[in-house]
Amino acid sequence: MGIRWQLIICFIAFVLAMLLIIWVFLIALLDFFYERTKINEFNAACDAIEATVNTDVFEDTCYNMAVKYNVCIRVFFCQGTSLRKQIASVDASQYCLIHHISEEALTGYYKNALDRDGGWVTRITLGAPRGDSEDRRGDRHGEEEDRSVFTPKVMAIAVHSFRASDGNEYAVFLNTEFTPMFSMTHTLNNLFLWIALAMLLTASLLAYIFSLRISRPLARMNDAAKQLAAGKYDTEFKPAGYRETRELAGTLNYAAQEISKSDRLQRELIANISHDLRTPLTMIGGYAEIMRDIPSEMSPENVQVIIDESQRLTDLVNDMLDLSKIRAGTKIPEKSVFDLTDTVREVMQRYSVLVAYDGYQIIFRSEDDISVDADRTMMLQVIYNLINNAVNYIGPDKTVCVEQTVRDDRVRITVTDHGEGIPPQEIANIWDRYYKVDRVHRRARIGTGLGLSIVRNILQLHGASFGVESRLGSGSSFWFELPVAGKLEREPPADSAPSSDN
Ligand code: ADP
């Protein structure tokens, strides 16, 4: 079912529930609440009269109660089950029953009260002819009146008997008119039907308007998403409707950009990888053929070319495998406490030939030997990739600085070169797979475009922070930080890896 119908049904259900609650409290229970109020008023009047009997204010109290609650009152001094003497009487209503029925009837009511722990309330429907006389009215109490001829009047009579502080028994008779609720209920029912109709219509209309505001942008986004799925990456999701749908449009636009970027990078990757694979293969094939056909070309240098090129191929394949394993989650860090400083030295050792023959200088500055709790092989790869990049993008000074600093129980490794640097707008992208700032594939640089992506994935797996500061023309500083697991203070002067200056 679509949003529109769902919303309309929800709104209507809500309105029906509200109407039901209102109907129950306002109409169905109206009679009940009215009766409760009257009984409470009777109780309040009886309490006040009982409290003041035999005092100077007794008569005033009876009068005040009669006015306040619109009741007729008669109070009798009693002996046994008979009413001996009337001590107060207030007739507040022309329809009063207790002032017009016989004393035997009153005595009967009193006995009822005595049988029921001193309190008795009854309701009497009284049929009275229009413009009637008091006498007839007085005679016609009881439930059996003719409703077709007389306008019914309902009277409530309460009897309360009590023993006062002087030890005498008293009986209070109260009489009030009980407004019949059925005509009011009937009117309210009619009114209620109209209110219900108006509310249902308004609810349906509102639900329809809301649903349009929600479903229309969603339907449009759905169409756009279908186009995106069909490969139209420039599809735009137009923000419209409520905040959530506008945000969804923003997110989908971002997702579309990312998909398009990843698709572009994927294409570039295929071009780059096939180039990267083809070049060493051509070299290997070419050199091997020359050496097979011309025996004098069988020199160690030419064999070295074949070895180098196959190494390049191995590196490329390894990088791709590593990255896919990390990303697929099959490569889980096997953490152990190891000497990070030593690991840096180990990586630098690999560059000793470059340092010795090509005039490169790799400087390592560190104070203490720091151990960390991490996957050593993975960290070795991070350090190797960072130093390898620094060497690949090295500046004219042919110097790479590796620095180890410790602050707040965290060790930071920074690899700095003074090469060409990275344009600011590219910095956010260099951690992406297959991303190369220099789009022209330069073979002189042995990059696969995967190195930094591997670094990022490994460091994220370790929850480590990392980053880069770079200025175009002055070089780059790549860094990462890990919590220190242990420290081994070194006796100065300490010796580091090749060309180390500490
Ligand atoms: P590559 O194998 O191409 O070096 P990386 O993922 O290691 O791939 O790096 C991605 C891109 O980031 C590189 O192609 C390069 O443009 C840029 N980059 C990385 N390190 C440096 C650096 N030290 N100096 C300048 N640019 C760098």
Side-chain angles (χ1 to χ4, degrees):
M1 201 190 291
I3 288 180
R4 188 171 307 170
W5 284 110
Q6 292 261 20
L7 260 182
I8 291 177
I9 289 173
C10 282
F11 264 66
I12 289 179
F14 176 73
V15 167
L16 286 177
M18 288 295 113
L19 285 172
L20 185 71
I21 293 171
I22 296 171
W23 184 82
V24 167
F25 280 94
L26 212 67
I27 298 175
L29 295 179
L30 183 65
D31 216 35
F32 170 77
F33 283 124
Y34 181 69
E35 195 175 301
R36 292 279 350 135
T37 313
K38 284 287 170 194
I39 288 174
N40 287 342
E41 285 177 8
F42 278 159
N43 287 339
C46 287
D47 287 349
I49 292 168
E50 184 178 337
T52 54
V53 77
N54 290 329
T55 65
D56 296 344
V57 292
F58 172 62
E59 282 189 14
D60 285 348
T61 307
C62 290
Y63 179 77
N64 289 340
M65 289 300 113
V67 173
K68 186 172 179 189
Y69 298 121
N70 193 24
V71 288
C72 296
I73 300 173
R74 288 182 83 178
V75 186
F76 285 88
F77 163 70
C78 310
Q79 259 183 344
T81 55
S82 53
L83 309 172
R84 281 278 166 244
K85 186 182 159 210
Q86 177 169 290
I87 56 167
S89 168
V90 187
D91 191 354
S93 157
Q94 55 174 321
Y95 296 107
C96 175
L97 270 182
I98 53 170
H99 283 91
H100 296 98
I101 54 173
S102 60
E103 207 155 307
E104 291 85 68
L106 279 182
T107 310
Y109 290 168
Y110 175 56
K111 283 180 185 159
N112 282 345
L114 288 178
D115 291 346
R116 290 174 181 76
D117 289 336
W120 183 63
V121 179
T122 186
R123 208 199 295 194
I124 295 169
T125 307
L126 175 72
R130 293 174 188 95
D132 51 358
S133 76
E134 278 187 17
D135 290 347
R136 291 200 56 186
R137 219 171 46 243
D139 294 341
R140 295 194 62 83
H141 65 87
E143 299 283 346
E144 66 286 347
E145 84 291 340
D146 182 354
R147 283 168 192 259
S148 62
V149 178
F150 303 112
T151 307
K153 267 199 183 304
V154 181
M155 290 294 167
I157 295 178
V159 189
H160 172 63
S161 74
F162 64 93
R163 185 184 291 276
S165 50
D166 59 2
N168 292 325
E169 303 263 357
Y170 295 90
V172 182
F173 289 84
L174 299 176
N175 182 142
T176 188
E177 210 174 307
F178 208 79
T179 314
M181 284 293 137
F182 57 82
S183 66
M184 167 105 84
T185 314
H186 184 68
T187 317
L188 279 177
N189 262 331
N190 276 343
L191 197 68
F192 191 77
L193 271 181
W194 286 107
I195 292 175
L197 205 69
M199 280 175 80
L200 284 174
L201 277 177
T202 318
S204 310
L205 196 74
L206 279 178
Y208 182 72
I209 295 169
F210 277 136
S211 71
L212 277 191
R213 279 208 21 115
I214 295 171
S215 67
R216 246 198 223 148
L218 282 181
R220 258 191 252 128
M221 270 188 250
N222 191 24
D223 290 343
K226 282 182 191 154
Q227 289 184 4
L228 180 69
K232 210 165 164 274
Y233 296 124
D234 58 348
T235 309
E236 199 197 338
F237 293 88
K238 290 202 177 65
Y242 296 103
R243 182 170 53 83
E244 285 81 358
T245 39
R246 289 201 305 273
E247 279 176 11
L248 178 65
T251 313
L252 286 172
N253 277 329
Y254 177 70
Q257 271 173 24
E258 288 297 299
I259 294 173
S260 132
K261 196 163 99 184
S262 128
D263 184 68
R264 200 186 64 237
L265 291 173
Q266 209 87 356
R267 282 172 215 270
E268 281 178 16
L269 158 84
I270 294 172
N272 284 352
I273 294 227
S274 41
H275 178 274
D276 282 349
L277 290 175
R278 204 165 342 106
T279 319
L281 282 174
T282 316
M283 298 272 278
I284 293 168
Y287 272 74
E289 269 177 34
I290 291 171
M291 288 193 287
R292 182 197 61 198
D293 297 342
I294 312 164
S296 62
E297 286 295 323
M298 189 81 88
S299 65
E301 292 79 31
N302 287 349
V303 174
Q304 190 57 45
V305 171
I306 293 177
I307 294 170
D308 286 350
E309 293 302 317
S310 47
Q311 184 56 47
R312 192 191 290 265
L313 272 178
T314 313
D315 286 349
L316 181 64
V317 172
N318 281 346
D319 268 8
M320 286 163 65
L321 273 179
D322 279 346
L323 191 61
S324 65
K325 272 192 213 153
I326 295 170
R327 290 179 71 90
T330 49
K331 204 165 176 177
I332 298 160
E334 284 170 25
K335 288 191 179 179
S336 62
V337 176
F338 66 90
D339 190 335
L340 182 72
T341 322
D342 223 35
T343 312
V344 178
R345 285 193 204 106
E346 190 183 317
V347 175
M348 290 172 64
Q349 196 62 43
R350 296 190 193 177
Y351 288 90
S352 51
V353 180
L354 266 182
V355 169
Y357 296 106
D358 287 350
Y360 283 68
Q361 210 190 0
I362 303 181
I363 301 165
F364 181 34
R365 290 197 193 98
S366 66
E367 274 172 9
D368 306 310
D369 269 28
I370 300 295
S371 51
V372 291
D373 186 14
D375 185 313
R376 187 172 186 277
T377 321
M378 285 186 171
M379 283 304 144
L380 198 82
Q381 190 165 11
V382 167
I383 299 162
Y384 176 76
N385 284 4
L386 293 182
I387 294 183
N388 199 44
N389 274 355
V391 169
N392 283 340
Y393 298 92
I394 205 161
D397 62 349
K398 288 196 172 183
T399 304
V400 172
C401 293
V402 184
E403 199 173 7
Q404 175 191 286
T405 46
V406 179
R407 205 170 42 161
D408 298 336
D409 277 345
R410 296 182 76 81
V411 55
R412 180 187 275 230
I413 302 287
T414 314
V415 181
T416 309
D417 65 72
H418 304 108
E420 64 199 49
I422 305 162
Q425 70 275 13
E426 305 285 353
I427 284 191
N429 299 323
I430 55 167
W431 307 93
D432 289 346
R433 263 183 306 171
Y434 317 123
Y435 192 87
K436 285 164 183 255
V437 172
D438 182 8
R439 291 294 159 93
V440 186
H441 204 64
R442 272 197 271 172
R443 197 157 148 67
R445 292 182 173 169
I446 324 153
T448 57
L450 298 176
L452 286 183
S453 183
I454 294 174
V455 167
R456 177 178 70 172
N457 280 284
I458 291 178
L459 291 174
Q460 279 175 345
L461 272 182
H462 283 80
S465 42
F466 57 94
V468 56
E469 278 105 48
S470 185
R471 277 187 48 210
L472 213 53
S474 347
S476 317
S477 270
F478 284 82
W479 60 267
F480 68 91
E481 266 183 11
L482 284 170
V484 173
K487 195 186 273 191
L488 201 87
E489 301 225 346
R490 215 183 293 144
E491 291 290 315
D495 209 31
S496 286
S499 302
S500 166
D501 68 350
N502 64 322

Short mmCIF file of all heavy atoms in Angstrom, two decimals, residues 172-202:
data_model
loop_
_atom_site.label_atom_id
_atom_site.label_comp_id
_atom_site.label_asym_id
_atom_site.label_seq_id
_atom_site.Cartn_x
_atom_site.Cartn_y
_atom_site.Cartn_z
N VAL A 172 -32.49 13.73 57.65
CA VAL A 172 -32.46 14.85 56.70
C VAL A 172 -33.06 14.34 55.40
O VAL A 172 -32.64 13.30 54.88
CB VAL A 172 -31.01 15.33 56.45
CG1 VAL A 172 -31.00 16.51 55.51
CG2 VAL A 172 -30.32 15.67 57.75
N PHE A 173 -34.04 15.02 54.86
CA PHE A 173 -34.62 14.68 53.55
C PHE A 173 -34.22 15.76 52.56
O PHE A 173 -34.37 16.95 52.84
CB PHE A 173 -36.15 14.63 53.63
CG PHE A 173 -36.65 13.44 54.42
CD1 PHE A 173 -36.73 13.51 55.80
CD2 PHE A 173 -37.01 12.27 53.77
CE1 PHE A 173 -37.17 12.42 56.53
CE2 PHE A 173 -37.46 11.18 54.52
CZ PHE A 173 -37.53 11.24 55.89
N LEU A 174 -33.65 15.34 51.45
CA LEU A 174 -33.24 16.31 50.42
C LEU A 174 -33.96 15.94 49.14
O LEU A 174 -34.15 14.77 48.83
CB LEU A 174 -31.74 16.24 50.17
CG LEU A 174 -30.82 16.55 51.34
CD1 LEU A 174 -29.38 16.33 50.93
CD2 LEU A 174 -31.00 17.98 51.81
N ASN A 175 -34.33 16.97 48.41
CA ASN A 175 -35.03 16.71 47.14
C ASN A 175 -34.49 17.69 46.10
O ASN A 175 -34.41 18.90 46.33
CB ASN A 175 -36.51 16.96 47.38
CG ASN A 175 -37.35 16.66 46.12
OD1 ASN A 175 -38.44 16.14 46.22
ND2 ASN A 175 -36.86 17.00 44.95
N THR A 176 -34.10 17.18 44.96
CA THR A 176 -33.66 18.09 43.89
C THR A 176 -34.19 17.60 42.56
O THR A 176 -34.49 16.42 42.39
CB THR A 176 -32.13 18.21 43.85
OG1 THR A 176 -31.79 19.23 42.94
CG2 THR A 176 -31.46 16.92 43.38
N GLU A 177 -34.27 18.56 41.68
CA GLU A 177 -34.72 18.20 40.35
C GLU A 177 -33.54 17.59 39.60
O GLU A 177 -32.42 18.10 39.66
CB GLU A 177 -35.20 19.47 39.64
CG GLU A 177 -36.28 19.18 38.65
CD GLU A 177 -36.84 20.47 38.08
OE1 GLU A 177 -37.23 21.36 38.90
OE2 GLU A 177 -36.86 20.59 36.86
N PHE A 178 -33.82 16.52 38.91
CA PHE A 178 -32.76 15.80 38.20
C PHE A 178 -33.01 16.01 36.72
O PHE A 178 -33.93 15.44 36.14
CB PHE A 178 -32.91 14.32 38.56
CG PHE A 178 -31.63 13.57 38.51
CD1 PHE A 178 -30.72 13.65 39.56
CD2 PHE A 178 -31.32 12.76 37.44
CE1 PHE A 178 -29.54 12.94 39.53
CE2 PHE A 178 -30.15 12.06 37.40
CZ PHE A 178 -29.25 12.15 38.44
N THR A 179 -32.24 16.91 36.13
CA THR A 179 -32.50 17.24 34.71
C THR A 179 -32.30 15.99 33.86
O THR A 179 -31.22 15.39 33.89
CB THR A 179 -31.51 18.32 34.23
OG1 THR A 179 -31.48 19.33 35.21
CG2 THR A 179 -31.92 18.88 32.89
N PRO A 180 -33.32 15.56 33.13
CA PRO A 180 -33.14 14.35 32.32
C PRO A 180 -32.12 14.62 31.22
O PRO A 180 -32.16 15.65 30.56
CB PRO A 180 -34.52 14.09 31.71
CG PRO A 180 -35.43 15.11 32.27
CD PRO A 180 -34.63 16.18 32.92
N MET A 181 -31.20 13.70 31.09
CA MET A 181 -30.09 13.91 30.16
C MET A 181 -30.42 13.43 28.74
O MET A 181 -29.69 13.68 27.83
CB MET A 181 -28.85 13.14 30.65
CG MET A 181 -28.16 13.82 31.81
SD MET A 181 -27.46 15.36 31.28
CE MET A 181 -27.92 16.42 32.61
N PHE A 182 -31.55 12.69 28.59
CA PHE A 182 -31.73 12.06 27.28
C PHE A 182 -31.91 13.08 26.15
O PHE A 182 -31.45 12.90 25.05
CB PHE A 182 -32.86 11.02 27.28
CG PHE A 182 -34.19 11.54 27.70
CD1 PHE A 182 -35.01 12.20 26.82
CD2 PHE A 182 -34.62 11.35 29.02
CE1 PHE A 182 -36.25 12.69 27.22
CE2 PHE A 182 -35.86 11.83 29.42
CZ PHE A 182 -36.68 12.50 28.52
N SER A 183 -32.58 14.26 26.49
CA SER A 183 -32.76 15.24 25.40
C SER A 183 -31.43 15.88 25.06
O SER A 183 -31.07 16.08 23.90
CB SER A 183 -33.78 16.30 25.80
OG SER A 183 -33.25 17.05 26.85
N MET A 184 -30.64 16.15 26.12
CA MET A 184 -29.29 16.72 25.91
C MET A 184 -28.43 15.72 25.13
O MET A 184 -27.73 16.08 24.18
CB MET A 184 -28.68 16.99 27.28
CG MET A 184 -27.20 17.27 27.23
SD MET A 184 -26.85 18.96 27.47
CE MET A 184 -26.85 19.06 29.22
N THR A 185 -28.51 14.43 25.51
CA THR A 185 -27.73 13.40 24.84
C THR A 185 -28.14 13.31 23.37
O THR A 185 -27.31 13.18 22.48
CB THR A 185 -27.97 12.03 25.52
OG1 THR A 185 -27.89 12.23 26.91
CG2 THR A 185 -26.98 11.01 25.07
N HIS A 186 -29.45 13.43 23.16
CA HIS A 186 -29.94 13.35 21.79
C HIS A 186 -29.36 14.50 20.95
O HIS A 186 -28.83 14.30 19.85
CB HIS A 186 -31.47 13.42 21.82
CG HIS A 186 -32.10 13.25 20.49
ND1 HIS A 186 -32.06 12.06 19.80
CD2 HIS A 186 -32.75 14.13 19.68
CE1 HIS A 186 -32.67 12.22 18.64
NE2 HIS A 186 -33.10 13.47 18.55
N THR A 187 -29.43 15.72 21.51
CA THR A 187 -28.88 16.88 20.80
C THR A 187 -27.39 16.70 20.55
O THR A 187 -26.89 16.93 19.44
CB THR A 187 -29.07 18.17 21.66
OG1 THR A 187 -30.36 18.14 22.20
CG2 THR A 187 -28.86 19.41 20.84
N LEU A 188 -26.70 16.27 21.63
CA LEU A 188 -25.25 16.09 21.49
C LEU A 188 -24.92 15.03 20.43
O LEU A 188 -23.99 15.18 19.65
CB LEU A 188 -24.63 15.68 22.83
CG LEU A 188 -24.37 16.81 23.81
CD1 LEU A 188 -23.83 16.25 25.11
CD2 LEU A 188 -23.41 17.82 23.23
N ASN A 189 -25.73 13.97 20.41
CA ASN A 189 -25.51 12.91 19.41
C ASN A 189 -25.61 13.46 17.99
O ASN A 189 -24.79 13.17 17.13
CB ASN A 189 -26.53 11.79 19.59
CG ASN A 189 -25.93 10.66 20.39
OD1 ASN A 189 -24.72 10.45 20.36
ND2 ASN A 189 -26.75 9.95 21.13
N ASN A 190 -26.65 14.27 17.79
CA ASN A 190 -26.82 14.87 16.46
C ASN A 190 -25.63 15.74 16.09
O ASN A 190 -25.05 15.64 15.01
CB ASN A 190 -28.08 15.75 16.43
CG ASN A 190 -29.30 14.90 16.17
OD1 ASN A 190 -29.15 13.77 15.70
ND2 ASN A 190 -30.47 15.40 16.48
N LEU A 191 -25.28 16.59 17.08
CA LEU A 191 -24.15 17.51 16.87
C LEU A 191 -22.87 16.71 16.61
O LEU A 191 -22.08 17.03 15.72
CB LEU A 191 -23.99 18.34 18.14
CG LEU A 191 -23.15 19.61 18.01
CD1 LEU A 191 -23.88 20.60 17.15
CD2 LEU A 191 -22.92 20.20 19.39
N PHE A 192 -22.77 15.65 17.38
CA PHE A 192 -21.58 14.82 17.29
C PHE A 192 -21.42 14.21 15.90
O PHE A 192 -20.32 14.14 15.35
CB PHE A 192 -21.69 13.70 18.34
CG PHE A 192 -20.44 12.94 18.54
CD1 PHE A 192 -19.40 13.48 19.27
CD2 PHE A 192 -20.26 11.69 17.97
CE1 PHE A 192 -18.24 12.78 19.45
CE2 PHE A 192 -19.11 11.00 18.14
CZ PHE A 192 -18.08 11.54 18.88
N LEU A 193 -22.53 13.82 15.31
CA LEU A 193 -22.48 13.24 13.96
C LEU A 193 -21.89 14.24 12.97
O LEU A 193 -21.03 13.90 12.14
CB LEU A 193 -23.88 12.85 13.52
CG LEU A 193 -24.32 11.45 13.88
CD1 LEU A 193 -25.71 11.18 13.37
CD2 LEU A 193 -23.35 10.42 13.29
N TRP A 194 -22.35 15.49 13.09
CA TRP A 194 -21.83 16.52 12.18
C TRP A 194 -20.36 16.79 12.44
O TRP A 194 -19.57 16.96 11.50
CB TRP A 194 -22.66 17.82 12.34
CG TRP A 194 -24.00 17.70 11.69
CD1 TRP A 194 -25.20 17.57 12.32
CD2 TRP A 194 -24.26 17.63 10.29
NE1 TRP A 194 -26.21 17.43 11.41
CE2 TRP A 194 -25.66 17.47 10.13
CE3 TRP A 194 -23.48 17.69 9.15
CZ2 TRP A 194 -26.28 17.37 8.90
CZ3 TRP A 194 -24.09 17.59 7.92
CH2 TRP A 194 -25.47 17.42 7.79
N ILE A 195 -20.01 16.85 13.75
CA ILE A 195 -18.59 17.09 14.09
C ILE A 195 -17.74 15.97 13.51
O ILE A 195 -16.68 16.18 12.91
CB ILE A 195 -18.40 17.19 15.62
CG1 ILE A 195 -19.06 18.44 16.14
CG2 ILE A 195 -16.92 17.21 15.98
CD1 ILE A 195 -19.05 18.57 17.65
N ALA A 196 -18.23 14.72 13.69
CA ALA A 196 -17.47 13.55 13.20
C ALA A 196 -17.27 13.65 11.70
O ALA A 196 -16.16 13.43 11.18
CB ALA A 196 -18.21 12.27 13.55
N LEU A 197 -18.34 14.03 11.00
CA LEU A 197 -18.27 14.12 9.54
C LEU A 197 -17.23 15.17 9.13
O LEU A 197 -16.36 14.93 8.27
CB LEU A 197 -19.66 14.48 9.01
CG LEU A 197 -19.91 14.06 7.58
CD1 LEU A 197 -20.02 12.54 7.51
CD2 LEU A 197 -21.21 14.70 7.08
N ALA A 198 -17.33 16.35 9.80
CA ALA A 198 -16.40 17.44 9.46
C ALA A 198 -14.96 17.02 9.77
O ALA A 198 -14.04 17.27 8.97
CB ALA A 198 -16.76 18.69 10.27
N MET A 199 -14.77 16.36 10.92
CA MET A 199 -13.39 15.97 11.30
C MET A 199 -12.84 14.92 10.33
O MET A 199 -11.68 14.97 9.94
CB MET A 199 -13.37 15.42 12.73
CG MET A 199 -13.38 16.55 13.75
SD MET A 199 -13.48 15.93 15.41
CE MET A 199 -11.80 15.45 15.71
N LEU A 200 -13.68 13.97 9.93
CA LEU A 200 -13.22 12.93 9.00
C LEU A 200 -12.83 13.54 7.65
O LEU A 200 -11.80 13.18 7.08
CB LEU A 200 -14.31 11.86 8.81
CG LEU A 200 -14.46 10.90 9.99
CD1 LEU A 200 -15.63 9.98 9.78
CD2 LEU A 200 -13.18 10.08 10.18
N LEU A 201 -13.67 14.49 7.21
CA LEU A 201 -13.35 15.13 5.92
C LEU A 201 -12.04 15.90 6.02
O LEU A 201 -11.16 15.80 5.15
CB LEU A 201 -14.49 16.10 5.53
CG LEU A 201 -15.67 15.43 4.83
CD1 LEU A 201 -16.76 16.43 4.55
CD2 LEU A 201 -15.20 14.80 3.52
N THR A 202 -11.90 16.69 7.12
CA THR A 202 -10.67 17.47 7.30
C THR A 202 -9.47 16.53 7.38
O THR A 202 -8.42 16.80 6.78
CB THR A 202 -10.74 18.29 8.61
OG1 THR A 202 -12.03 18.83 8.72
CG2 THR A 202 -9.72 19.38 8.65
#
